[in-house]
Amino acid sequence: MQIILTHENSDFDAIASLLGAHKLYPHARPVLPRRVNRNVQAFLALYGTEFPFVRPEMLPRGQHIQRVILVDTQSLTYVRGMRKVKDVLVIDHHTPPKVLAEGWHFQGEMLGATTTLLVEAISSRLIPLSRAEATLLLAGIYEDTGALTYISTTARDLHAAAWLLDCGASLEIASEFLEHPLSSAQKAIYNDLLDHIETITLGGHTVIITWAISPPNTEEEISTLAHKLRDLLDPSALFILVEIGENTQLVARSTTNDINVADVAQHFGGRGHDRAAAALLRQRPVHEICAELRQIISDFVHPRVKVHDLMSRTVRTVQPDDTIASVAKRMLRTGHEGFPVVDMQERVVGLVTRNAVDRALQHKWDRQPVQRIMQVGEVVVSPEDSVERVRALMIESGWGQIPVVEVEENARPRVIGVVTRTDLIRMPLSAQEQQRQEIAHLLAQAFPVPLLTFIRQIGEYAAEEGHLIYFVGGLVRDMLLGQAIFDVDLVVEGDAIELGQALADTYGGEVRTYSRFGTVKWILPEGIWENQQAGESANRQISEPPPLRSSTNLPQYIDLVTARTEFYEHPTALPLVERSSIKQDLHRRDFTINTLAIRLDPQRWGELLDFYGGVEDLEQGIIRVLHSLSFVDDPTRILRAARFEARLDFHLDPRSEALIGEALPLLHRITGGRIRHELALIFKEARPEAVLDRLQELGALQEIEPALTSDDWLHEKFSQLRKLDLTHWGMEKAGCLYSHSRYLLYWMLFFYRLSLPVCRRLARHLLMPNLLVQRLEVLPRIPELLIQLERVEQPSAVVALLTPLMPEHIVLAWLLIDNVSTRTKLEHYIEEWQYVQHNITGNDLKAIGIPPGPIYREIFETLRNGRLDGTITSREEEIALARTWIDV
């Protein structure tokens, strides 16, 4: 049995997450916690029958729980049937745990609500929602984001909420229960909490501690009061202590990463997340807990970025009596915009700015002391203060730079640095900005410098013309996986044809347009890369090293594709196409790992778009379709899924694999040419047999043709083929490209054991090109040929058997036969015998009196056979043998 659990004292986000997880994992039972908040309880009292929730006591007896899905929590709550659960999936929007127990897996991102994560997955898979379900999910997002106003709210929370409204969610009902009235006991507790508010400033953060005593014989939930106080007071951290009978309930909330309230709750035996936590302290009065909390709270405030991490250490100060003229000279010499003003004891007494100095000089105050124009005050921070304190002081004082003062034991305070607005701008990057820089670094590693420079130019030009361009799909996937990139395709949010023509007008070259799909192939002008490299060299400073990437293999064309959406009029049909946004363009793609995009405009260069969980599936090695009709719309995706599994060593998620079984019969309705195209791509993989095995396991190979099979014999022959050096077999001399010949041989081995009627029928169905049909037609003759090869010994007889064949048939015969002697004959033919010729010519035959005619061919063939078999070794012997035909 599989179950879904959340934390006790559940709010709307927790209960909505139960529902969201059940929509994604329908075989798992969503179990309500024993205690839920009053507003949630009221909602369930009215609408609970609309949901599949079960209470813990209703779980069936005697069934062992094999898997638990935890939502909006990272701690197990034990229910009936739970022993030692070895498979636990955690879905949460808080900081992931540093260490996961064996069998535990974490999925999540730092969003405003866990519900958002689940709604995104529901949306991408097109799972339908009822009005009641959409409303509960909306309430989950709204409550945990403060109606989308908390600083932890992200754009994705807004998108998820908007999608739920499109699904019919009632904002009126959600608001009614989010603003649920307090009970009389809650009102009494709330007023008591307001009366006992204590504000502490730690590391630049405002921390509020407050307490109350619950009315007798009541046990009210406190989390709703925490929400109200947080919204009212807006502290960095809030700690509420309520004495209920002989016990004390602690509820903690945080709005900053610098204060992890879960650590505080753990100190008191509780648990929770970095932003929300609780603890129940038994047999301890509220005043005792409050005193302990005051004593320890400073130990749990850990600013991620402190003043000493970003301050400028080369600080210069002036004194109050320094003249304005002297300060102006120092500003001109150093380029500083201001100086702290310190007295004789090095105590900061003010700040003088360039603006104030400039105004004073206009008024001829150059000989006046600087104290006449300085901003008066002792506005300072310590090296250990938080960035939040610096920001607060700048806003409060209006100072654009704050002196940093260090106070050592038994010494006077001294100014050791200054924090300016510029330092704040340069402070450590956000996670999103870090990711953009990481992606930009990967782009620089993946592409030659001239090409990447040119892409930047195209992105800038496109943005100026009102278009946005992206790297999309397989290119992004392979770059993130560290694999080689061969093709350069750009998706245009706008009009690719219009942009392509404009680029050709600007840079040269020609365009070939395909209006049905809004695509254009831009054939680049000659010399484009030489110009790019020259520009790079001119712009690079002498001291800079040359680029590490090679500039070889630069493309001769660039494909531009209009972002589009597709509609299928019926299953297996070719899609109808319309222009769309980049998000819709990504939604039409086959698998989540192919839905990633990278923005290439100057403003957001390197920004990774991941609407459908592609990065997570890449990290976990999962092939997942975007919606339940994906294989129905296009059954060739079944073949692509197997190909990606084998190439990337990934696996289909269980739901996607189940959907394949439902779509298999539709393969018969796909045109044979599309099936052949997918098989052709399979034969260009590193190990085609791995893909064929998977297709056979899925039942797809049998749907294409029941006689097709992938077995040990085929594995062995494919492996032997890959080990062959085909240039040694004369493929290039015969006019066949090495890679193309190997590709043809894969087809020939795959079809070799088919009967001729089946082979011909399948070739017609797959619309095989003549090049391949010609080679397949000979396959039925190969077994008899191998028998004859084993019997003959004379080189001339071997040549007579093999000359009519194409080079691929010779290699095929070598692969099919295990007899060493026969293989040696084939090798001799390839290396030597096929090139043996007679020495004399037609002129020699005329000279000895043999008139021209068909007899010449007979003579030359006899002479060649003699050379092959060693009965003739010289020109004289050839002429002597030819003379025997004079009297014939």
Side-chain angles (χ1 to χ4, degrees), residues 322-341:
D322 289 345
T323 65
I324 294 173
S326 66
V327 172
K329 287 181 180 179
R330 294 181 65 180
M331 287 182 173
L332 185 63
R333 186 171 63 252
T334 62
H336 288 186
E337 295 295 316
F339 295 120
V341 182

Side-chain angles (χ1 to χ4, degrees), residues 163-404:
W163 184 79
L164 290 169
L165 289 172
D166 283 340
C167 291
S170 171
L171 193 54
E172 180 180 359
I173 294 175
S175 299
E176 175 187 350
F177 288 93
L178 290 174
E179 298 296 330
H180 202 63
L182 301 178
S183 67
S184 57
Q186 282 181 314
K187 290 178 182 176
I189 296 171
Y190 184 69
N191 291 330
D192 208 8
L193 291 171
L194 289 175
D195 289 340
H196 297 126
I197 287 174
E198 180 181 348
T199 302
I200 304 172
T201 301
L202 295 169
H205 290 290
T206 299
V207 178
I208 289 180
I209 300 174
T210 185
W211 60 271
I213 298 177
S214 177
N217 302 317
T218 61
E219 189 170 331
E220 294 292 337
E221 53 96 356
I222 311 302
S223 58
T224 299
L225 305 181
H227 277 295
K228 288 185 175 295
L229 282 174
R230 181 177 64 180
D231 293 344
L232 175 66
L233 303 172
D234 193 27
S236 296
L238 171 68
F239 295 91
I240 291 177
L241 296 162
V242 178
E243 186 176 298
I244 304 173
E246 296 180 347
N247 305 321
T248 297
Q249 176 75 48
L250 166 68
V251 176
R253 297 289 184 265
S254 172
T255 61
T256 173
N257 292 328
D258 294 355
I259 305 175
N260 186 331
V261 293
D263 292 341
V264 181
Q266 188 176 17
H267 172 86
F268 290 104
R271 58 189 181 183
H273 301 301
D274 51 353
R275 299 297 181 95
L280 179 62
L281 295 95
R282 300 184 183 278
Q283 306 295 317
R284 294 191 64 183
V286 68
H287 296 295
E288 178 184 315
I289 304 302
C290 201
E292 183 177 348
L293 181 59
R294 290 191 198 97
Q295 185 177 355
I296 66 161
I297 188 59
S298 61
D299 297 335
F300 294 93
V301 179
H302 305 292
R304 290 176 305 152
V305 181
K306 297 183 178 180
V307 167
H308 64 69
D309 294 320
L310 59 125
M311 71 182 187
S312 301
R313 298 181 182 274
T314 54
V315 62
R316 290 176 170 82
T317 61
V318 297
Q319 294 188 337
D321 294 334
D322 289 345
T323 65
I324 294 173
S326 66
V327 172
K329 287 181 180 179
R330 294 181 65 180
M331 287 182 173
L332 185 63
R333 186 171 63 252
T334 62
H336 288 186
E337 295 295 316
F339 295 120
V341 182
V342 299
D343 61 16
M344 298 299 293
Q345 287 75 40
E346 293 193 16
R347 183 175 63 90
V348 174
V349 294
L351 177 75
V352 59
T353 66
R354 180 181 292 274
N355 286 337
V357 168
D358 289 343
R359 288 197 305 271
L361 292 177
Q362 289 176 359
H363 293 288
K364 310 299 183 182
W365 280 18
D366 48 327
R367 295 183 180 275
Q368 294 293 321
V370 79
Q371 64 184 351
R372 292 283 305 271
I373 61 169
M374 71 180 186
Q375 295 171 271
V376 179
E378 190 177 2
V379 181
V380 298
V381 291
S382 79
E384 296 299 314
D385 278 339
S386 68
V387 171
E388 283 76 6
R389 173 163 173 76
V390 176
R391 286 199 184 102
L393 284 175
M394 284 185 175
I395 293 171
E396 180 183 337
S397 66
W399 290 22
Q401 48 186 287
I402 307 294
V404 182

